Amino acid sequence: QKEVEQDPGPLSVPEGAIVSLNCTYSNSAFQYFMWYRQYSRKGPELLMYTYSSGNKEDGRFTAQVDKSSKYISLFIRDSQPSDSATYLCAPTGGSYIPTFGRGTSLIVHP
Amino acid sequence: ETGVTQTPRHLVMGMTNKKSLKCEQHLGHNAMYWYKQSAKKPLELMFVYSLEERVENNSVPSRFSPECPNSSHLFLHLHTLQPEDSALYLCASSAGTVTAEAFFGQGTRLTVV
């Protein structure tokens, strides 16, 4: 089993939709749960992260972690065409070295 | 700009060439990383340096050779590469044991012909 599983998509939604992006992981030692966004021909940039279980909100973005089921989610409200990118989940343990999923390609069309 | 600069942005090299990728970070971080990103695959961690010492080497072929002369600079020396090594090579840095946030450069798009 891979350490981090993420559906590569693409996920295509209309502008204004609520988007749900998800990952599952296998390593119980993961403590930090990060989401990176990668635009085409750019390096990934950190979008937000949570520590342990729970929710964290930042503007239109909400990150959610359920450690009991090893399930990570990122919700985007009122999605915009500028949100079109690849979203990578990256849980991390005590070594502080991120382990990345494959990324989900999101397309928001006007 | 992210504070992590990679050069060159694009590189085409033959299988018998020797070339080097360069990464520089201006964030005062003490950990630096090389990742390989191929199409339809997760980011693959190649090397980790913490305080200029290599702390991780994920079974990377010896045709890839990292060098970290100081905490701000990281190199990846390439020799006798194979076409399957064509990928986006990403450098990242972080504050190491303080925080898990990694900051990435723009990457070097490598094509081996």
Side-chain angles (χ1 to χ4, degrees), chain A residues 2 4 32 34 36 38 41-46 49 88 92 95-102, chain B residues 9 33 35 37 40-43 45 48 56 88 90 96-102 104-106:
Chain A
K2 294 178 184 171
V4 182
Y32 294 90
M34 293 174 287
Y36 287 81
Q38 186 175 20
R41 288 185 286 277
K42 300 274 190 179
E45 57 177 345
L46 182 68
Y49 76 92
L88 304 126
T92 303
S95 68
Y96 298 92
I97 300 172
T99 303
F100 285 88
R102 290 175 61 181
Chain B
R9 292 292 307 276
Y33 314 78
Y35 284 88
Q37 189 174 37
K40 299 183 174 28
K41 285 187 171 182
L43 276 165
L45 180 66
V48 180
E56 187 141 344
L88 181 68
L90 289 158
T97 57
V98 174
T99 175
E101 301 173 63
F104 283 84
Q106 302 277 46

Side-chain angles (χ1 to χ4, degrees), chain A residues 14-101:
Chain A
E15 183 175 355
I18 296 174
V19 175
S20 173
L21 303 167
N22 308 293
C23 284
T24 58
Y25 65 94
S26 58
N27 189 340
S28 300
F30 288 147
Q31 303 167 2
Y32 294 90
F33 301 90
M34 293 174 287
W35 283 95
Y36 287 81
R37 178 174 59 196
Q38 186 175 20
Y39 290 112
S40 181
R41 288 185 286 277
K42 300 274 190 179
E45 57 177 345
L46 182 68
L47 190 59
M48 59 189 303
Y49 76 92
T50 57
Y51 176 72
S52 194
S53 281
N55 292 359
K56 183 175 182 178
E57 190 174 317
D58 184 359
R60 297 185 294 109
F61 298 87
T62 300
Q64 196 172 74
V65 176
D66 183 345
K67 289 188 74 176
S68 63
S69 59
K70 298 188 178 69
Y71 196 80
I72 312 166
S73 299
L74 177 71
F75 299 97
I76 307 174
R77 289 184 300 280
D78 187 26
S79 55
Q80 304 295 308
S82 58
D83 295 329
S84 299
T86 296
Y87 290 80
L88 304 126
C89 65
T92 303
S95 68
Y96 298 92
I97 300 172
T99 303
F100 285 88

